[in-house]
Amino acid sequence: MKAKLFINRNEEIGKIDRRIYGSFIEHLGRAVYNGIYEPSHPLADDMGFRGDVLSLVKELRVPIVRYPGGNFVSGYNWEDGIGDKSKRPVKLDLAWLTTETNQVGIDEFQEWAKRANTDIMMAVNLGTRGPDEARNLIEYCNSETNSYYANLRRQNGFERPFGIKLWCLGNEMDGDWQICHKTAEEYGRVATETAKVLKWVDPSIELVACGSADPHMPTFGSWERTVLDHTYDYIDYLSLHCYFGNYKGTPDFLASAEVMDSFIKEVANICDEIKAKKNSNKTINLSFDEWNVWYRTKDEEKQMERWQIAPHLLEEKYNFEDTLVVGTMLMSLQNNCDRVKIACIAQLVNVIAPIMTENDGACWKQTIFYPFYYASLYGNGKALKTNVEVDTYKTSDGVDIPYLYTSVIENEDCMVVFAVNRSLDEDITLDLCGQEGYVLDSHTQLYNDDLNTTNDKENERIKPTSIKVNGNGPITLKKHSWNMLIFKK
Ligand code: AHR
C-alpha cells in the first residue's frame, strides 16, 4: 500500500511540554514495595531503593511522577508515611484490599524522585479527608516558615522544603469505586476550597482538578461542566483518564489513539465552553494523568486473598500489539500538545508498567518500554500539522480508520516522524512532502511477526532495530510496525 505524508512546516500545533512524558507510582501491588523499594535486594542503595530499577527509570527520562495514588490516595493519611520508620502504623488499604506498611511515604519518595531525576506530581486525599490535611501536607512539603508542619519536616531531617510544584485535587472522584466518592457538586465545592488553601500556603504551585475517570462514565460531560463551574478560577488543569484493551479484536484495538484524540478534543471543548460562559481570559489545559493499555488484570483485587502486603496485582504482561497501541497513544498526546500539557503513563514499575521486577531478582523492560523511551527522548520541540493520504479500514462500529498514524516534531537539531502502520498484512511505502532541507538520517523500527510476543527477564524479544536508510528515497513501514524516522539538516 502507498501513503503520502504532507508535513506543514509553517503550521505548528504547539510546543511539546515535556511533562507529557510523565508517569505514575501508586501504593498498589508491587509498585512501591519490591518495585522501586526493596531494602534486602542485592542492588538496593543506602535508602533501600533498587538501583537496577532506578537505572531503567532514568533511561526513560520521566520528567514527573504522580504519587501516591490513584485510588489509594482517597483513604491515605500522609502523616503515616513520615518520620521514624519503626513507629509508622500498619494500615488496611481499602482501595486495593491490601496491607500498607508505610515504610515508604513522602519522606522517602521525594528522595527517590531526586535519585530518578524526576519531579513529583502530588495527589491529596479528597475522599476520607479534605482541605485541612491538604494544607498541612503542603506546609510540610513546601514551606520555609517557622510553623508546626514545616518544623516537623525539619525534625524529620529535611531542612530544605521538597518544592513540589504540581498538585492533584483528589483522584477519580466521579467513580463509585472511589473511597468516599462524590457527586460533581460535592467534589466541585471541596476541590475549590482545597485549591484555595493550597495556593494560600504556596502560590507558586499548579493544580489539577479531577475530570471523568473514563470517557464512558455515565456522567462524562456533565461532571466536567459542574466541576469547572465551581473550580475554574482556582485550578490550572483538568484531568483525563483512559485505559484501552483488546476487547473487540486487533483492528479495533489499534484504533485506540483515535478514541484518545476525540476524548481530548471533547474535554478541551468543554473547558472552552465554561471559559466562554464565565467570560474568562484564562484557559484551562489538560492533564492526561492516567493512560495505558490495561484489560487483562482488571478487578483482580476482588478475587485475591485480602490484606496481603505487596501482592502481585495488575501485573499486565504486555505483548507486541500493546507496543503499537502505546506508540500511537504517545503520538496522540504529541498531536494534542496545544492542550495536553501533562500526561502520566500508568504506571511505572510492575503495576501496568513498562518496567517489571522479580522480588530479590531481575528487572526488565516490557514491550511498551521502547515506544515510551523514544517518544521521551526524541519527541521534543514543536509538533507540526500534517495531512495523511492512505487507505482506511472499518472498525466493528463502522468507523473509518487510516492505516497510518503519525506525529511530526521539529526542533533545532532535527525533524522526527513517528509512524505506526496499522495494517495487519501490508507494508506501507511512504512518500513524504515537506521535508525539504532535511535528509533522512535514521530509521528505527519495532516489529515482530507475532503480535502476541512478550518480553521476559530472559529474553527481550521486542527491541528496536535500525533500518538502513537510502537518502530521501522511498521509506518502507512494515506491516503492523512502529517507526521513528529522524531527518537531519
Ligand atoms: O492505575 C490504576 C488505577 O486506575 C488507579 O488507582 C485509579 O485512579 C484508576 O482507576
Side-chain angles (χ1 to χ4, degrees):
M1 170 189 343
K2 284 192 170 26
K4 239 181 184 167
L5 172 64
F6 299 89
I7 303 171
N8 306 326
R9 295 266 287 283
N10 298 324
E11 280 193 82
E12 72 175 68
I13 301 167
K15 181 159 176 357
I16 289 182
D17 186 325
R18 263 203 61 70
R19 294 178 300 172
I20 66 168
Y21 305 122
S23 190
F24 180 25
I25 289 280
E26 176 168 3
H27 282 251
L28 194 185
R30 298 190 310 126
V32 173
Y33 306 108
N34 298 333
I36 63 168
Y37 177 81
E38 191 178 353
S40 58
H41 193 276
L43 299 174
D45 65 15
D46 57 313
M47 285 191 71
F49 297 127
R50 279 184 65 157
D52 51 351
V53 174
L54 266 171
S55 301
L56 289 189
V57 172
K58 283 199 274 193
E59 234 184 275
L60 288 176
R61 300 207 201 165
V62 179
I64 49 162
V65 178
R66 188 163 171 253
Y67 176 83
N71 297 339
F72 172 80
V73 79
S74 298
Y76 184 51
N77 292 353
W78 66 269
E79 304 88 336
D80 295 344
I82 59 166
D84 185 347
K85 282 190 173 186
S86 68
K87 298 208 173 82
R88 295 192 191 173
V90 173
K91 294 236 174 128
L92 299 185
D93 164 28
L94 303 186
W96 301 105
L97 307 177
T98 56
T99 297
E100 172 57 49
T101 62
N102 283 307
Q103 290 304 292
V104 172
I106 189 58
D107 281 1
E108 292 73 32
F109 193 73
Q110 59 82 31
E111 186 56 42
W112 178 83
K114 273 192 216 146
R115 295 176 188 201
N117 296 334
T118 191
D119 287 332
I120 298 174
M121 176 183 194
M122 188 80 183
V124 301
N125 175 355
L126 293 189
T128 56
R129 308 187 95 190
D132 193 33
E133 295 81 7
R135 67 157 179 165
N136 297 340
L137 174 59
I138 196 166
E139 180 190 322
Y140 185 86
C141 293
N142 286 7
S143 275
E144 301 212 55
T145 46
N146 181 11
S147 54
Y148 181 81
Y149 286 100
N151 286 334
L152 187 59
R153 182 194 69 238
R154 291 187 186 98
Q155 272 168 41
N156 289 339
F158 308 101
E159 187 51 41
R160 303 289 315 136
F162 305 152
I164 300 173
K165 293 295 173 202
L166 191 56
W167 292 72
C168 302
L169 297 162
N171 174 71
E172 293 187 353
M173 300 308 301
D174 59 324
D176 60 4
W177 59 88
Q178 203 66 212
I179 302 170
C180 300
H181 150 234
K182 293 185 168 36
T183 64
E185 280 291 338
E186 289 165 345
Y187 173 69
R189 285 292 306 127
V190 76
T192 303
E193 296 309 317
T194 308
K196 280 160 58 181
V197 297
L198 286 171
K199 285 202 175 175
W200 281 335
V201 178
D202 185 350
S204 72
I205 60 164
E206 288 189 307
L207 291 173
V208 184
C210 293
S212 294
D214 187 278
H216 302 109
M217 293 296 287
T219 49
F220 172 54
S222 68
W223 172 272
E224 277 74 4
R225 287 181 179 89
T226 306
V227 168
L228 286 171
D229 263 336
H230 285 284
T231 57
Y232 203 93
D233 294 337
Y234 304 95
I235 62 158
D236 304 281
Y237 307 95
L238 188 66
S239 79
L240 295 84
H241 288 184
C242 196
Y243 293 99
F244 293 90
N246 185 344
Y247 298 105
K248 293 182 180 172
T250 300
D252 279 37
F253 185 38
L254 291 180
S256 301
E258 254 75 9
V259 179
M260 197 156 173
D261 279 339
S262 340
F263 182 32
I264 292 170
K265 296 214 158 53
E266 232 175 310
V267 178
N269 286 340
I270 296 173
C271 291
D272 294 346
E273 173 193 321
I274 307 299
K275 176 181 182 175
K277 182 174 155 192
K278 288 186 176 280
N279 206 5
S280 173
N281 291 326
K282 172 178 170 185
T283 299
I284 299 291
N285 282 318
L286 309 181
S287 171
F288 211 129
D289 46 44
E290 283 189 39
W291 68 268
N292 203 347
V293 169
W294 174 27
Y295 64 108
R296 301 168 179 95
T297 58
K298 283 236 164 177
D299 292 328
E300 260 189 350
E301 71 281 4
K302 296 186 182 119
Q303 271 90 57
M304 63 156 202
E305 187 197 326
R306 286 148 60 106
W307 317 128
Q308 296 179 68
I309 297 174
H312 290 260
L313 256 184
L314 277 57
E315 296 195 4
E316 197 95 353
K317 187 163 187 179
Y318 289 109
N319 63 17
F320 179 58
E321 182 175 85
D322 303 325
T323 312
L324 301 176
V325 174
V326 165
T328 51
M329 287 196 276
L330 284 155
M331 294 176 208
S332 167
L333 294 170
Q334 293 163 341
N335 287 334
N336 287 289
C337 69
D338 52 333
R339 294 310 289 267
V340 180
K341 304 295 173 186
I342 300 161
C344 303
I345 187 173
Q347 299 192 7
L348 187 56
V349 183
N350 289 333
V351 171
I352 42 174
I355 299 169
M356 284 298 288
T357 72
E358 186 180 52
N359 295 356
D360 201 27
C363 118
W364 64 97
K365 298 169 179 171
Q366 289 239 60
T367 64
I368 60 170
F369 185 95
Y370 280 110
F372 191 92
Y373 167 86
Y374 284 111
S376 173
L377 250 70
Y378 294 98
N380 298 299
K382 54 182 184 184
L384 298 177
K385 289 194 180 166
T386 58
N387 297 92
V388 178
E389 262 179 30
V390 69
D391 291 352
T392 59
Y393 67 93
K394 282 202 190 303
T395 62
S396 58
D397 297 332
V399 181
D400 284 317
I401 302 294
Y403 279 110
L404 179 65
Y405 193 81
T406 62
S407 62
V408 180
I409 293 145
E410 194 179 26
N411 56 43
E412 308 84 60
D413 303 327
C414 59
M415 184 169 76
V416 184
V417 175
F418 293 99
V420 165
N421 175 357
R422 301 194 261 212
S423 168
L424 298 184
D425 32 49
E426 269 191 70
D427 294 353
I428 288 179
T429 308
L430 182 66
D431 189 8
L432 271 141
C433 303
Q435 84 282 34
E436 292 75 26
Y438 281 109
V439 182
L440 180 58
D441 188 64
S442 69
H443 179 175
T444 307
Q445 186 183 73
L446 294 165
Y447 174 76
N448 196 287
D449 236 7
D450 181 359
L451 290 164
N452 290 313
T453 305
T454 55
N455 285 353
D456 51 45
K457 66 169 175 165
E458 279 90 24
N459 231 321
E460 192 177 291
R461 296 176 198 88
I462 304 302
K463 59 177 176 213
T465 45
S466 191
I467 308 291
K468 201 168 159 356
V469 295
N470 169 22
N472 273 351
I475 297 158
T476 304
L477 308 175
K478 264 189 94 63
K479 65 175 183 177
H480 59 74
S481 66
W482 172 99
N483 303 268
M484 182 181 73
L485 308 165
I486 298 189
F487 292 84
K488 292 252 162 96
K489 280 191 179 131

